[in-house]
Amino acid sequence: MLNYKRYKKNPVIDYPEREWPNKEITKAPIWCSVDLRDGNQALIDPMIVEEKVEMFNYLVKLGFKEIEVGFPAASQIEYDFLRQLIERKMIPDDVRVQVLTQCRKELIERTFESIEGCSQAIVHIYNSTSTLQRDVVFHMNEDEIVNIAVEGTKMVKECAKDFPGKIILEYSPESFTGTELPFALRICTEVQKTWGATKENPIIINLPSTVEMNTPNVYADQIEWMNRHFEDRDSIILSVHPHNDRGTGVASAELSLLAGADRVEGTLFGNGERTGNVDVLNIAYNMFSQGIDPQLNIEHINEIYERCCKIPIHPRHPYAGKLVFTAFSGSHQDAINKGVAAMKERKSEIWQVPYLPIDPADIGREYEPIVRINSQSGKGGVAFVMDTYFGFKLPKGMHKEFANVIQKISEKQGEVSPDQIMEQFREQYLDQKEPLHFRKLKVDDLSGETKSQFDTKVTVLYTDHGVEKQYEAVGNGPIDAVQRGLQEETGVRIKVLDYEEHALQSGSNSQAAAYIHLLDSDDGSVTYGVGVSSNITRASVRAIFSAMNRLGIGK
């Protein structure tokens, strides 16, 4: 039995004046990628310099304007990587690199060595402030913890004084979610004042959910409380850095934006320590799905991530996974099919399709994989595949008949590919040419002959079990005439219940598909037949013969 009594609830704050629940996200935040630092340190096999360069270029291409490139004072590979970026002039003028360092003199000095020649940089200092870490890790009181942050700020300020480029200070009270709010406010304010932040030269105050300790609404309360109580708020860029220990990192980030955050630090696909950082792409796609410009170039999901990080993207990962725009469920397939059809019919500029929050094509995906057929699929899915892949718009009444054929296969082998579905369609309908095989058709117009009650005469050449035969018949149109003739030839009463046709492709060489729903009046059995030809009349006759053979007439 799980010993749940070993754990206690983390405290929530009493904050009835909260306003964030009534707000909406209306614009993208300042994005900061920490893939090259927080993400890289969480990899089993961290990136080498060449891979880091490739990832940096990819992040720039995605549109990140702030990129944390590492902890250069703590690792030679990260120091060398940053030097390469600077010396090879790979940092665009509108991109700021961010470097992390602890509040120690030798580390801060080494950090400034690493950014020499950089026109602008964010120097990110931090120290842990949580009640638990003050007690069990540092054995320090509040004043001593504040002193670490203030002294670190002074050292950065001293180094920045002679630095030729622009330095922006970022301060993080690490483990903010486990820190008493009055103390978090105190230490952040002391750093803010020591740095001398102004509206023109603001400081980044980053409030990390280093460990997710509570529900996202509690994090939002903490952010809003800090946002309201900061002095000289316009001198602060309020940043959040959510982790995902409780699996709610995205929700925490989104609610923190409602609560006043200006900036979000995170990684692509949420790679990071433990259960990971917040997935910035997930948040960006969420904004996109609500008609908000995410300010990131997320039209295409690149394979660079998997190659550099050596971590596969889960097939069910929001937006990015290979299966997230795929429906196996029959009811889902049917709804998607109808939704896509309605969009085309209405020529709507607004995307509204059941089960698909965004158009897959908008992020470089294709429609073809949307519906995939397995034993859970239904008639709508098979019809969707036949239409999308092969252009056959099956009559609604035919959906179940053909889907039953495919379901038997899927129950044996699992997923059925579109090519297998088409192969079965050909075998079950188009190639049904025995025992009755249609060969030739001649149609004569009788409408000018006053003695005839019918307007069409047909001459049909066919084979019956390989024996060539021919008959003539009259009727009201070619289909009626062919049907009447086949009744005479076979001695079986048949009736056409429904008839549909459509073009398979446009152009002078277009083919037509015809569908005949046929009834054997003698035993009550019904089925569909399908015919294809460049001539719609021949296609219809082939469909009748296809249905006759499927009913077993003449065997």
Side-chain angles (χ1 to χ4, degrees), residues 2 5 15 31 39 47 65 71 128 170 192 217 224 289 297-298 308 343 362 394 406 414 431 436 520:
L2 290 173
K5 293 184 178 180
Y15 188 56
W31 300 108
M47 288 178 263
K65 302 303 180 186
F71 199 146
S128 190
E170 175 175 347
Q192 176 191 8
N217 62 296
E224 186 177 294
S289 73
N297 303 319
I298 53 176
C308 290
M343 284 275 296
D362 282 336
L394 308 188
I406 302 304
D431 292 342
L436 306 176
D520 181 340

Side-chain angles (χ1 to χ4, degrees), residues 99-299:
V99 285
L100 183 72
T101 180
Q102 292 173 329
C103 299
R104 288 161 47 188
K105 187 174 187 294
E106 70 278 11
L107 296 179
I108 291 173
E109 289 176 347
R110 177 70 168 167
T111 298
F112 271 83
E113 289 177 16
S114 73
I115 59 174
E116 184 179 343
C118 190
S119 61
Q120 57 177 339
I122 300 169
V123 176
H124 183 187
I125 62 172
Y126 70 98
N127 66 314
S128 190
T129 59
S130 71
T131 310
L132 181 62
Q133 292 217 39
R134 294 198 314 261
D135 177 28
V136 303
V137 178
F138 298 104
H139 308 292
M140 289 184 177
N141 60 32
E142 290 186 3
D143 290 341
E144 291 170 313
I145 295 295
V146 170
N147 187 62
I148 292 174
V150 169
E151 289 303 310
T153 304
K154 289 179 180 178
M155 287 184 275
V156 173
K157 192 172 183 178
E158 181 64 25
C159 291
K161 184 174 61 176
D162 299 322
F163 188 79
K166 181 178 181 180
I167 296 297
I168 299 169
L169 179 68
E170 175 175 347
Y171 173 68
S172 292
E174 192 200 1
S175 300
F176 163 75
T177 45
T179 304
E180 309 92 329
L181 285 177
F183 179 56
L185 180 65
R186 176 191 169 193
I187 195 168
C188 289
T189 302
E190 290 291 339
V191 169
Q192 176 191 8
K193 290 180 176 179
T194 302
W195 181 250
T198 64
K199 182 178 181 180
E200 293 71 29
N201 293 292
I203 184 174
I204 300 171
I205 297 294
N206 186 54
L207 303 178
S209 172
T210 310
V211 177
E212 262 200 318
M213 300 174 68
N214 224 313
T215 49
N217 62 296
V218 176
Y219 187 51
D221 282 349
Q222 292 172 317
I223 298 301
E224 186 177 294
W225 189 94
M226 292 289 285
N227 185 45
R228 281 192 176 185
H229 288 82
F230 277 131
E231 298 178 22
D232 299 320
R233 175 63 179 85
D234 60 1
S235 71
I236 293 172
I237 297 171
L238 180 52
S239 176
V240 292
H241 181 114
H243 277 250
N244 198 44
D245 299 87
R246 293 170 59 90
T248 57
V250 168
S252 293
E254 290 181 327
L255 296 191
S256 72
L257 292 176
L258 300 178
D262 308 305
R263 181 177 185 268
V264 174
E265 292 188 346
T267 61
L268 306 181
F269 309 114
N271 174 47
E273 294 281 20
R274 306 181 306 279
T275 56
N277 290 48
V278 69
D279 178 359
V280 291
L281 290 180
N282 196 341
I283 305 171
Y285 284 127
N286 285 351
M287 290 180 178
F288 175 75
S289 73
Q290 300 298 303
I292 299 169
D293 183 355
Q295 297 291 311
L296 288 175
N297 303 319
I298 53 176
E299 292 92 339

